[in-house]
Amino acid sequence: MPKPRAGRRHWLFKTEPDVYSIEDLAREGSTLWDGVRNYQARNLLRDDLQLGDGVFIYHSSCERLGIAGLATVTGVGIADPSAFDPASPYHDPKSRPAAPTWYCVEIAFERRFTPLIARDAIAAEPGLAAMVLLQRGSRLSIQPVGADEARRLLQMAQHEAEA
DNA sequence: GCCAACGTTGGC
DNA sequence: GCCAACGTTGGC
């Protein structure tokens, strides 16, 4: 059997919509996903995200929890400029341009999910029970999404849109 | 290198 | 606002 062609890989980025929402991304078209200050998330941003990967945008700490849309990775391996900026709340003097501590990627708006895929609906879906998002105490803000999980989520977005 | 204290995240 | 879970810090 031929090796199945690897489709585009998918990730999930958490964001508080009060700070930055899918609407902000839709308006701006693309953005630098900077300010991530967690080593596990940093490793994914620096080493694993690839051009063209899909990014589910998850709204956290708000009234309507869930995946609000989809974006595409358009820039990888970027040293996080906010770490070098003394005026930024994300400033980190330990990170220097010659030896950056923190990395970010650029993403571009792809589409909104209307309505969003509610966290409740994700939790109720047996095939999605293993998602990092649902794991007890998971605070990782950049998460891998499995191929089957991504497929299921995209189906859910489609069905909800038709309903 | 251990581990207690602390700050933060994030669902409820 | 509560609080459990987690990552980080710093004294030893």
Side-chain angles (χ1 to χ4, degrees):
Chain A
M1 219 168 112
K3 195 196 280 191
R5 174 148 60 154
R8 88 202 274 228
R9 293 204 288 171
H10 287 81
W11 308 88
L12 181 146
F13 288 8
K14 280 195 284 200
T15 182
E16 297 184 23
D18 292 346
V19 178
Y20 195 87
S21 72
I22 191 74
E23 281 75 25
D24 294 317
L25 181 59
R27 187 179 333 109
E28 295 177 9
S30 72
T31 193
L32 214 52
W33 203 264
D34 59 2
V36 175
R37 295 293 178 268
N38 166 282
Y39 285 102
Q40 200 178 341
R42 187 280 310 269
N43 292 344
L44 295 174
L45 289 172
R46 187 189 58 188
D47 304 332
D48 294 325
L49 271 82
Q50 296 173 9
L51 288 177
D53 284 355
V55 176
F56 292 103
I57 303 295
Y58 177 83
H59 284 177
S60 70
S61 293
C62 61
E63 198 137 323
R64 304 185 59 225
L65 296 174
I67 298 174
L70 189 68
T72 313
V73 176
T74 52
V76 296
I78 304 165
D80 187 336
S82 68
F84 308 137
D85 178 5
S88 167
Y90 304 120
H91 179 232
D92 182 356
K94 291 192 302 297
S95 185
R96 290 164 295 108
T101 305
W102 305 113
Y103 283 79
C104 60
V105 298
E106 185 190 62
I107 62 171
F109 177 77
E110 197 163 314
R111 63 192 174 99
R112 209 175 309 212
F113 294 158
T114 45
L116 53 59
I117 308 173
R119 180 185 178 86
D120 288 348
I122 297 170
E125 190 66 31
L128 299 179
M131 280 191 70
V132 177
L133 180 71
L134 300 179
Q135 301 319 301
R136 174 184 173 78
S138 168
R139 289 169 24 183
L140 194 58
S141 62
I142 305 290
Q143 308 178 356
V145 176
D148 292 340
E149 294 167 348
R151 207 174 357 259
R152 190 76 199 98
L153 288 169
L154 293 170
Q155 286 171 358
M156 290 169 76
Q158 193 58 38
H159 291 152
E160 302 217 0
E162 287 165 0

